């Protein structure tokens, strides 16, 4: 590789990584400095999905709030679920930081702010540098699910995830398969595999998808 | 430098524009899907062996041609080493998918079409459905041994895309992409990634060609894990188990 290309690759990698690197808070400081803790779920300031049906936040940042759950979790992201008359899907992603990831837990509340259901970290699948859970909110769930608290799962805190793919040095590659172009990352086979720890803070995204499948010619 | 960024922009936009919209499977709404017919994918006769950042690519068009010739030579070396023992990848994938989907409780059959390798999904599914079929599973795949650069290991890769269509309402009830081996790009967060086993890593084409049976095992592992992941996504149980809290 020439020096020019190496410089371009490094610049590209920096550009791609900078968005994540600049938003990593110091979680221990945030935990120590937390204020305005409330114990009651109805005291939170619940946020709505944006126009694209998404909520993106750093748990531990200003978007999230401090909680004092009896089970030991600290930060919480309180979200208002849509009063939808149609079934929908919630896709919750927790993204890998440099060597850590939020151990997510979703707690669903009813209209009276009472917990009615939960999805723990063990129900989130690890793939493609993220924990993900797809939760189908069908008619039965829609009756009861009014609010979502996204928080940390104390059962998973501190646990290590072995042999996960970690993005370090990226070289995006395009492979055409018929009309489809796949873009994927190349890192050296050893450097992109490692372990990550479940921690209390990290970048999360919740996306609401209406269940309206595409229709094809049949 | 300017040209490089234009190229990169085209590359990224091309990658994004070609991605089919993912559709997550909703088990509760699709309990009626019992019999799936797999439309057999096109055959892949040869397993490409490619170095993604080949040194030759840094020397203009001539260098790129030399790089392509070098990788064509590596591909020939590996495929000749495998020879007659090269699996029928089309059948390997269909067989693995059938087994994995049957474990999830589906009845599975398959049909052959005259699709070409360069085709993506079929444009139309007319006349491919019989009365016993509740859903059609369409897929395509790309198998290869890829290395990041001149000094990196060749590892097995499988890239696949799959969609499931409900024959009653013509709806695409599941659609996604799967990457075995190297992970998808930052821009393809919807895709699923499956790690390959480190034992199938070869530092040179000579080492790869010297262990053809083991190298093929690496690709077959990819086929198996890909099939299992697809079946997992189509499980009749929800992807995330919601635990009800009883007061």
């Amino acid at each position: 590789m020439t020096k020019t290309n190496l410089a371009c690759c490094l610049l590209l990698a920096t550009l791609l990584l900078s968005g994540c690197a600049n938003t990593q808070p110091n979680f221990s400081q945030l935990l120590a400095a937390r204020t305005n803790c409330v114990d009651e779920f109805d005291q939170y300031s619940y946020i709505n999905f944006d126009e694209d049906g998404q909520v993106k936040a750093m748990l531990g940042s200003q978007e999230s709030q401090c909680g004092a759950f009896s089970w030991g979790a600290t930060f919480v992201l309180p979200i208002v679920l849509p009063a939808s008359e149609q079934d929908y899907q919630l896709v919750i992603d927790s993204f890998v930081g440099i060597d850590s990831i939020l151990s997510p837990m979703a707690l669903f509340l009813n209209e009276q702010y009472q917990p009615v259901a939960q999805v723990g970290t063990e129900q989130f699948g690890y793939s493609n540098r993220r924990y993900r859970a797809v939760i189908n909110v069908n008619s039965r769930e829609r009756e009861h699910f009014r609010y979502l608290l996204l928080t940390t799962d104390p059962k998973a805190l501190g646990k290590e995830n072995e042999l996960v793919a970690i993005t370090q040095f990226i070289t995006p590659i395009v492979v055409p398969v018929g009309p489809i172009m796949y873009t994927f990352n190349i890192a050296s086979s050893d450097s992109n595999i490692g372990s990550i720890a479940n921690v209390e803070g990290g970048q999360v995204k919740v996306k609401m998808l209406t269940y309206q499948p595409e229709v094809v010619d049949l | 430098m300017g040209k490089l960024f234009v190229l990169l922009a085209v590359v990224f936009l091309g990658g994004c524009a070609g991605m089919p919209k993912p559709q997550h499977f909703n088990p509760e709404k699709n309990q009626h899907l019992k019999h799936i017919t797999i439309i057999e994918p096109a055959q892949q006769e040869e397993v490409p062996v490619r170095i993604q950042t080949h040194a030759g690519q840094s020397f203009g068009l001539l260098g790129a041609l030399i790089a392509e010739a070098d990788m064509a030579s590596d591909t020939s070396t590996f495929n000749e080493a495998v020879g007659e023992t090269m699996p029928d990848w089309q059948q390997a994938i269909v067989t693995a998918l059938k087994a994995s989907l049957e474990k999830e409780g589906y009845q599975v059959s398959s049909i052959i079409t005259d699709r070409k390798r360069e085709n993506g999904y079929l444009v139309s599914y007319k006349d491919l459905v019989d009365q016993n079929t509740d859903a059609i599973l369409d897929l395509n795949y790309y198998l290869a041994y890829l290395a990041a650069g001149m000094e990196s290991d060749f590892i097995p890769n499988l890239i696949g895309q799959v969609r499931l269509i409900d024959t009653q309402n013509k709806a695409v009830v599941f659609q996604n992409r799967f990457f075995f081996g190297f992970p998808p790009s930052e821009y393809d967060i919807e895709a699923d990634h499956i790690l390959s086993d480190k034992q199938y890593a070869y530092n040179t084409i000579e080492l790869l060609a010297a262990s053809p049976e083991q190298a093929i095992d690496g690709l077959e592992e990819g086929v198996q894990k890909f099939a299992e992941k697809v079946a997992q996504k189509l499980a009749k149980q929800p992807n995330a188990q919601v635990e009800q809290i009883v007061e």
Side-chain angles (χ1 to χ4, degrees):
Chain A
M1 181 181 286
T2 65
K3 285 181 181 174
T4 306
N5 275 6
L6 181 62
C8 289
C9 289
L10 285 169
L11 178 60
L12 180 67
T14 306
L15 285 171
L16 291 171
L17 291 170
S18 59
C20 303
N22 289 341
T23 50
Q24 288 290 334
N26 182 328
F27 295 115
S28 57
Q29 287 177 0
L30 285 164
L31 280 168
R34 63 196 171 116
T35 55
N36 301 323
C37 290
V38 290
D39 293 327
E40 303 299 327
F41 294 152
D42 61 357
Q43 298 296 306
Y44 293 123
S45 298
Y46 288 81
I47 55 178
N48 291 292
F49 285 96
D50 65 18
E51 288 177 356
D52 296 328
Q54 294 187 68
V55 174
K56 291 180 186 175
M58 298 290 295
L59 274 188
S61 69
Q62 286 182 338
E63 296 101 322
S64 63
Q65 298 166 34
C66 183
F69 297 115
S70 57
W71 58 77
T74 48
F75 294 109
V76 57
L77 182 66
I79 300 169
V80 183
L81 294 174
S84 172
E85 294 186 357
Q86 301 292 322
D87 294 343
Y88 63 92
Q89 296 175 315
L90 288 172
V91 181
I92 304 174
D93 286 327
S94 171
F95 299 99
V96 173
I98 293 170
D99 56 3
S100 63
I101 191 166
L102 168 80
S103 54
M105 185 165 76
L107 188 65
F108 291 92
L109 311 180
N110 63 14
E111 193 74 44
Q112 290 75 43
Y113 300 95
Q114 295 163 330
V116 289
Q118 68 181 31
V119 178
T121 294
E122 71 278 4
Q123 295 298 328
F124 284 68
Y126 180 82
S127 177
N128 197 5
R129 305 176 294 275
R130 52 161 165 71
Y131 273 136
R132 167 170 284 187
V134 177
I135 298 163
N136 293 293
V137 184
N138 296 324
S139 56
R140 189 181 57 232
E141 289 82 13
R142 279 192 290 111
E143 281 182 30
H144 307 293
F145 289 9
R146 194 67 195 91
Y147 303 99
L148 166 63
L149 299 180
L150 197 58
T151 181
T152 47
D153 187 346
K155 294 194 297 294
L157 280 176
K159 288 185 180 171
E160 289 275 327
N161 297 275
E162 297 294 331
L163 286 177
V164 298
I166 300 173
T167 302
Q168 290 184 343
F169 187 87
I170 305 166
T171 309
I173 299 298
V174 175
V175 173
V177 181
I180 308 300
M181 303 289 279
Y182 293 101
T183 310
F184 61 102
N185 286 335
I186 296 284
S188 77
S189 53
D190 288 328
S191 70
N192 70 341
I193 294 176
S195 65
I196 51 169
N198 286 342
V199 295
E200 280 197 289
Q203 191 180 28
V204 290
K205 184 175 83 174
V206 185
K207 190 167 187 179
M208 193 205 89
L209 303 169
T210 53
Y211 190 71
Q212 293 177 320
E214 170 194 352
V215 174
V216 298
D217 187 16
L218 202 65
Chain B
M1 177 69 90
K3 285 180 183 173
L4 179 64
F5 274 108
V6 170
L7 178 64
L8 287 171
V10 170
V11 161
F12 286 129
L13 289 173
C16 295
M19 291 176 188
K21 183 186 167 194
Q23 175 66 57
H24 302 285
F25 190 63
N26 189 331
E28 188 176 321
K29 295 179 87 71
N30 291 296
Q31 291 292 320
H32 63 285
L33 303 182
K34 294 182 170 57
H35 187 159
I36 293 176
T37 297
I38 299 172
I39 299 175
E40 297 196 355
Q43 182 62 274
Q44 182 174 328
E45 306 283 354
E46 193 174 65
V47 174
V49 177
R50 298 189 60 82
I51 299 168
Q52 299 297 350
T53 48
H54 194 288
Q57 291 162 344
S58 304
F59 297 95
L61 180 61
L62 184 61
L65 290 171
I66 292 169
E68 283 304 317
D70 184 40
M71 290 187 281
S73 170
D74 288 351
T75 298
S76 296
T77 302
F78 176 63
N79 283 271
E80 283 168 15
V82 176
E84 296 297 314
T85 60
M86 179 69 79
D88 178 333
W89 294 116
Q90 180 189 43
Q91 285 311 304
I93 285 179
V94 171
T95 302
L97 275 171
K98 272 185 182 172
S100 298
L101 289 168
E102 282 169 358
K103 277 186 190 168
E104 293 296 338
Y106 291 103
Q107 290 175 274
V108 188
S109 58
S110 62
I111 55 171
I112 302 171
T113 63
D114 61 349
R115 76 196 307 167
K116 302 288 188 295
R117 180 70 200 156
E118 62 267 23
N119 285 347
Y121 290 133
L122 291 185
V123 175
S124 170
Y125 299 93
K126 278 181 180 166
D127 304 325
L128 293 177
V129 188
D130 64 45
Q131 290 182 335
N132 297 323
T133 298
D134 300 316
I136 290 173
L137 191 142
D138 192 3
L139 75 149
N140 52 55
Y141 67 97
Y142 171 83
L143 277 161
Y145 260 92
L146 303 176
M150 303 299 286
E151 305 299 323
S152 308
D153 292 342
F154 290 102
I155 67 168
N157 279 258
L158 186 155
I159 309 169
Q161 63 174 6
V162 177
R163 72 176 176 184
L164 186 74
I165 299 146
D166 184 336
T167 56
Q168 281 182 16
N169 58 16
K170 306 177 185 179
V172 178
V173 294
F174 173 78
Q175 179 162 262
N176 209 355
R177 298 171 300 284
F178 299 87
F179 289 70
F180 169 80
F182 287 122
S185 80
E186 303 290 296
Y187 301 93
D188 201 359
I189 191 65
E190 296 300 331
D192 271 299
H193 179 226
I194 308 159
L195 281 168
S196 60
D197 195 314
K198 276 188 169 182
Q199 68 170 306
Y200 303 114
Y202 306 90
N203 195 245
T204 63
I205 180 61
E206 288 77 20
L207 288 170
L208 178 64
S211 310
E213 289 181 10
Q214 190 195 32
I216 290 299
D217 286 348
L219 292 169
E220 287 178 331
E221 184 200 43
V223 169
Q224 186 61 37
K225 286 187 172 178
F226 163 67
E228 288 168 3
K229 183 66 98 174
V230 170
Q232 181 192 331
K233 296 290 177 184
L234 297 176
K236 291 290 182 71
Q237 294 298 316
N239 292 339
Q241 299 280 353
V242 177
E243 182 187 343
Q244 303 298 322
I245 297 172
V246 181
E247 288 291 315

